[in-house]
Amino acid sequence: MDPATADIAEIVAGIEPFDALEQQHIDETLAWLASTDDVFRRVKPATPPRHLVSYVVLVDPAARAVLLGRHRLAGLWLPTGGHVDPGEHPLEAARREAFEEIGLRADFTVVGTDPLFLTLTATVGLGSHDDVSLWYLVRGTHSQHYPLDRREFSTERWWDIDTFALADTDPHFCRFLAKLDAALG
């Protein structure tokens, strides 16, 4: 296992699973990492057919709110983030994506610099593939406007953690919110 893949395996192994599905995703991801070093997307949209993503969820812990954007390509309400570049550390990808898509220097003081959540998701549409997503939390303030990158998002909106009820989002988002709720206390 090359050093970059070993670093990712260490990150994944350090995630405390919230439920049986997250444990399954962690186990599958660790097995995948042990079988290949080809874990970074090299060619859009699906080469290799499974690759790493760093989600960057902007969270206002005091307001118990998260910012999502309407993703142009996916047609879903999603957190910001993107594919981890070849050789890039997932935390650095999260920092880069926060700057590129939200325009801010990431403040990881919600739960720290480790990802809170991990998901393995089959994408839909042309070029479908598997995203192994590490969910990083970045601190924001819901009273502040954060215009998202218009090349990727048509609009953005803060959503209340406690009353979130949206079908057109990441299939694991409600599970993520339950884990976030537990982390916020």
Side-chain angles (χ1 to χ4, degrees), residues 33-132:
L33 293 169
S35 72
T36 185
D37 289 320
D38 195 13
V39 300
F40 304 102
R41 184 177 76 178
R42 289 178 281 107
V43 181
K44 281 184 167 185
T47 304
R50 176 176 286 176
H51 46 259
L52 291 169
V53 168
S54 286
Y55 263 152
V56 180
V57 186
L58 194 62
V59 178
D60 183 334
R64 298 184 53 77
V66 295
L67 184 74
L68 296 179
R70 185 71 178 183
H71 195 273
R72 291 181 184 278
L73 210 54
L76 301 171
W77 286 94
L78 297 174
T80 57
H83 293 90
V84 181
D85 290 338
E88 184 178 35
H89 191 282
L91 177 61
E92 292 310 311
R95 282 191 173 99
R96 175 180 51 77
E97 292 289 347
F99 186 75
E100 289 174 3
E101 294 184 356
I102 311 172
L104 59 83
R105 300 229 180 271
D107 173 355
F108 293 101
T109 58
V110 178
V111 297
T113 56
D114 292 329
L116 177 69
F117 197 53
L118 179 136
T119 56
L120 178 55
T121 308
T123 65
V124 296
L126 292 173
S128 63
H129 57 276
D130 292 339
D131 281 343
V132 175

Side-chain angles (χ1 to χ4, degrees), residues 3 10 14 18 21 80 82 92 94 109 134 162 170 175:
E10 185 176 336
F18 180 69
L21 184 55
T80 57
E92 292 310 311
T109 58
L134 298 162
D162 300 311
D170 182 288
R175 291 179 42 252

